[in-house]
Amino acid sequence: AAGMAAPTMEERKACWGARDEFWQCLDSHGDDAAQCERLRRAFESRCPQQWVKHFDKRRDFLKYKKKLETEGYHPPEAAGKS
């Protein structure tokens, strides 16, 4: 079960590096994943599957948090407008 072994420091660095490059690409292309396909594949091949899922969730959370900070919280418009 080699796949289950904890990544070595080298592997972690490779994973984080690939993630950072992928995220930078997304940032510079307005989150257009199609523009970053190659980096996405590198990210997926260098990181354990669980990490990929974790980082994807983390990115969504960070984007959401940033949106709140820049735009503030807007409750849904529909509530109580009848």
Side-chain angles (χ1 to χ4, degrees), residues 48-81:
Q49 186 71 54
Q50 286 304 107
W51 290 26
V52 171
K53 285 184 190 147
H54 168 77
F55 287 139
D56 284 346
K57 283 198 191 104
R58 176 115 187 102
R59 182 168 170 88
D60 286 341
F61 171 73
L62 291 173
K63 278 194 335 214
Y64 175 72
K65 208 174 130 210
K66 193 175 199 168
K67 192 170 152 109
L68 286 187
E69 283 164 10
T70 52
E71 300 172 17
Y73 174 70
H74 301 298
E77 282 296 314
K81 279 274 166 74

Side-chain angles (χ1 to χ4, degrees), residues 6-53:
T8 64
M9 193 61 210
E10 284 305 297
E11 288 168 334
R12 286 202 296 269
K13 278 191 186 146
C15 169
W16 290 330
R19 175 204 62 187
D20 291 346
E21 281 181 27
F22 174 55
W23 284 12
Q24 276 170 352
C25 179
L26 288 177
D27 287 342
S28 60
H29 289 98
D31 276 327
D32 180 3
Q35 298 286 326
C36 307
E37 189 65 44
R38 188 177 58 81
L39 292 170
R40 173 78 198 185
R41 282 200 297 270
F43 168 50
E44 286 180 352
S45 71
R46 291 196 185 124
C47 298
Q49 186 71 54
Q50 286 304 107
W51 290 26
V52 171
K53 285 184 190 147

